[in-house]
Amino acid sequence: MSRINAKPSESSTILYNKVQSQFDLPETGWHLCKDRKCSDRLTKSKSKSIQDLNLSHGDILFLYMSKSKGSANSLPSTSSYNGTPTSSRPSSNTGMSSNVAGAPNMSVKEDDVDILLEKVDGKIQRKRNEAMCRHGAGGKCVHCVPLEPFDDTYLKSCDPPIKFLSFHSYIRKLRSGVDKGKFVNLENLSCKIKDCKDHAPWPAGICTKCQPNAVTLNRQVYRHVDYVTFENGNIMDKFLNYWRNSGHQRMGFLIGHYEQHPDIPLGIRAVVSAIYEPPQTCTKNSIELHEDPNEQLVDELAAELGLRRVGWIFTDLVALDLTKGTVKHTRGNLDSFFLSAEECITAADFQDKYPNPCRWSSDGVYGSKFVTVVVTGDKDNQIHFEGYMVSDQCMGLVKDNCLIPTYDASELGYVKESSNEQYVPDVFYKIKDKYGNEVTQLARPLPVEYLLTDMSVGFPKEQIYTFAALNSNKSPFPSCNRSQIGEIQSLETLASYRHQFEDDEILQCLADFNVLLYLCTCDVLPMREHMSLLLQSIKSQDSSQALQWAKSEQWSTMSHLLQASAPHPTTMGAVGRSTSFVGANASPLPPIGSTWQCNHCTFINTNPTTCDMCMLPK
């Protein structure tokens, strides 16, 4: 949609030139009309002015593309004279296409789950009502006809009730009217001043053409993800061990994929296969994230496994009784909050970073599927998991740096006021006063639960393992960035971990996200360029393919390094001094622990501080 500014005295040729420049059109192959049927076509003439064409302020014009050989049928788009139009953009198929309101942008590559749900009928099937139906087995009536996926009565009758529409149900609802979604256009919220050459930039000047509109916040009726499930309990148990061992909070990124949710009409479920813990400094009541040098590598590694970042998780746990394993109930009660303003802003920042591709948006993206999971205590003082997402409007406010947390109230956010550096439009929200009347309030401050949608978090009855499951008698490989509690990733720890598996169990040994990431970043022998076959075998869970990869030269070299880095039998307690044999003329044995093996070059040293071969510290 776009506005065409023209003076009544200007010729129709100038109007055509402005439309051509606005929509990046060719010289020929299109024309303007006053109506949708194109019965009243505007002629392009230097002698006829806009006033002669009987055009006035606010009139809507329709842009038609001429049909050509090998091209698709022309689609009308609207263009308004000093009004609000729709725009046209080039297409990879025909060279030109009309990005019309209600017409999806087919050049946008959506997620696989969105493409699947677009093809699904989505209607809610109902069985024949023996008491009310009077027709045969093949007939349908109002008592058994399938319902639309957005049927409010059905959603409220579910146990538990479904509070939010799925995103695809919401799209179907927009397209279900008499116009069949002809004017559907999802627009992202923008609070920035538009480019304008009619005056000096802000703060020296502003006009109605460049000034962003005031924002009225609405409670979002849909959500992009309807459920979060962890494949197995080991994923969460390993993540919570950090809090159990240190008492400090912890944050991690959820690695998994999206799939159709069978219990919610056209719903989407996030399935978590692993948790990646980025560099961070943790205390009992705070988490500070640091810049991650492996951010791109993590995304590439997950993509080769058919996975991606689907959300983030953090703990907010305070022990209540160590003997019973209970925790305090600190969230979701009358005296507390669901998410603090700072957490909402962080969630919005992550959602802006991982947007949702959408054909129904003129920007090509709309909202996000990036979920937030909080590990906290419930009303029974047991560890509980809660899932949230912030609204699309909240994403827009955070993206344009308009929303900040308050200093003394965690449950309240605050919309910034305009300054010389930034113009901030007025933001309002609606609440009910003590008399039950709906009143509009300025969002200074703003209750952040107004910006939230929630979802359930759970575990499947039958546990799934994208990565290999370890037996109880085997110790897992340490997670990333846990040096604060003494869990360090090194060749020695990898050698000890590898020693637990037989030679033919290479798939079970290496099918761990933390192991794979360490192999990619190992300083001694980085293996990132030689892991494609291994990643493919883990993705398809093919043991024979993993054994074939294990015969490669790179893994053979790594195996030798692991054997050399394995703990010495004396340090492991396998052989004691009492069992050693010393002959009559033999030299005395050196003291236990007087030699050590360098982690970098595997040289056996007697120098207690530095390696005699590579000169690196012990």
Side-chain angles (χ1 to χ4, degrees), residues 1-5 19 22-23 36 58-63 76-89 97-103 182-188 194 209 213 360-363:
M1 300 181 68
S2 179
R3 181 195 304 251
I4 305 299
N5 295 311
V19 172
Q22 182 75 22
F23 297 142
R36 189 174 293 275
D59 284 352
I60 295 178
L61 302 179
F62 294 86
L63 170 63
S77 66
T78 59
S79 171
S80 112
Y81 169 55
N82 284 340
T84 305
T86 42
S87 62
S88 300
R89 297 291 181 217
S97 71
S98 299
N99 189 12
V100 191
K182 189 179 298 183
F183 302 104
V184 173
N185 188 27
L186 302 178
E187 294 186 3
N188 295 292
K194 302 175 184 178
K209 293 187 295 182
N213 297 326
W360 299 96
S361 172
S362 56
D363 299 329

Side-chain angles (χ1 to χ4, degrees), residues 320 324-329 377-384:
L320 180 63
K324 297 180 180 179
T326 54
V327 293
K328 292 183 179 180
H329 181 208
D378 61 6
K379 61 182 179 180
D380 299 323
N381 301 117
Q382 300 298 318
I383 292 180
H384 176 65

Side-chain angles (χ1 to χ4, degrees), residues 40-178:
D40 191 358
R41 180 173 174 177
L42 297 182
T43 59
K44 184 178 181 181
S45 174
K46 295 182 179 180
S47 59
K48 287 189 176 182
S49 65
I50 294 177
Q51 188 174 5
D52 296 336
L53 298 175
N54 296 324
L55 293 177
S56 58
H57 176 77
D59 284 352
I60 295 178
L61 302 179
F62 294 86
L63 170 63
Y64 275 82
M65 306 301 300
S66 301
K67 296 181 180 180
S68 60
K69 185 177 180 180
S71 66
N73 293 337
S74 60
L75 295 174
S77 66
T78 59
S79 171
S80 112
Y81 169 55
N82 284 340
T84 305
T86 42
S87 62
S88 300
R89 297 291 181 217
S91 170
S92 58
N93 294 331
T94 63
M96 295 299 303
S97 71
S98 299
N99 189 12
V100 191
N105 186 357
M106 304 307 294
S107 63
V108 176
K109 184 180 180 181
E110 294 184 320
D111 295 336
D112 293 339
V113 65
D114 294 319
I115 297 175
L116 173 65
L117 291 174
E118 186 70 25
K119 301 176 182 178
V120 174
D121 176 58
K123 292 190 176 181
I124 304 165
Q125 302 297 325
R126 294 191 295 174
K127 296 181 179 179
R128 186 176 184 272
N129 191 324
E130 299 295 338
M132 304 297 294
C133 296
R134 296 290 185 268
H135 51 76
K140 292 289 183 181
C141 66
V142 293
H143 303 291
C144 61
V145 68
L147 300 175
E148 294 291 345
F150 48 83
D151 186 82
D152 189 59
T153 304
Y154 170 80
L155 297 178
K156 290 181 179 179
S157 65
C158 294
D159 186 23
I162 301 175
K163 297 187 295 182
F164 298 93
L165 291 175
S166 65
F167 181 65
H168 282 268
S169 295
Y170 175 71
I171 294 295
R172 298 284 178 95
K173 185 175 183 179
L174 294 179
R175 297 164 55 192
S176 65
V178 178

Side-chain angles (χ1 to χ4, degrees), residues 284-296:
K284 292 183 178 180
N285 53 15
S286 67
I287 299 173
E288 180 183 357
L289 295 180
H290 305 302
E291 185 177 355
D292 187 4
N294 297 325
E295 181 178 4
Q296 183 177 356

Side-chain angles (χ1 to χ4, degrees), residues 243-392:
W243 173 77
R244 296 188 182 110
N245 295 333
S246 66
H248 294 175
Q249 310 305 330
R250 194 64 172 168
M251 176 268 181
F253 286 107
L254 306 177
I255 308 297
H257 67 278
Y258 300 107
E259 64 182 20
Q260 182 180 0
H261 195 309
D263 300 329
I264 296 180
L266 298 178
I268 294 178
R269 174 171 60 189
V271 181
V272 181
S273 305
I275 298 178
Y276 165 67
E277 301 172 23
Q280 56 193 289
T281 299
C282 305
T283 66
K284 292 183 178 180
N285 53 15
S286 67
I287 299 173
E288 180 183 357
L289 295 180
H290 305 302
E291 185 177 355
D292 187 4
N294 297 325
E295 181 178 4
Q296 183 177 356
L297 177 60
V298 170
D299 293 336
E300 292 176 356
L301 187 63
E304 289 197 46
L305 293 168
L307 306 174
R308 59 189 293 184
R309 301 189 198 220
V310 298
W312 69 301
I313 183 173
F314 66 92
T315 61
D316 183 16
L317 297 170
V318 179
L320 180 63
D321 190 336
L322 295 177
T323 58
K324 297 180 180 179
T326 54
V327 293
K328 292 183 179 180
H329 181 208
T330 57
R331 289 175 182 256
N333 53 38
L334 295 176
D335 300 325
S336 184
F337 50 83
F338 296 100
L339 280 185
S340 67
E342 192 172 4
E343 292 162 356
C344 282
I345 293 172
T346 305
D349 186 62
F350 282 136
Q351 290 182 208
D352 283 320
K353 188 175 181 180
Y354 301 96
N356 175 50
C358 181
R359 297 178 180 178
W360 299 96
S361 172
S362 56
D363 299 329
V365 293
Y366 188 75
S368 174
K369 297 191 186 77
F370 202 82
V371 301
T372 299
V373 177
V374 186
V375 187
T376 185
D378 61 6
K379 61 182 179 180
D380 299 323
N381 301 117
Q382 300 298 318
I383 292 180
H384 176 65
F385 311 100
E386 299 173 353
Y388 298 99
M389 294 185 72
V390 298
S391 66
D392 299 336

Side-chain angles (χ1 to χ4, degrees), residues 395-416:
M395 290 175 57
L397 292 175
V398 173
K399 184 177 181 180
D400 294 335
N401 196 26
C402 296
L403 184 64
I404 57 176
T406 54
Y407 180 75
D408 55 349
S410 300
E411 70 278 6
L412 297 177
Y414 193 88
V415 176
K416 295 166 61 176

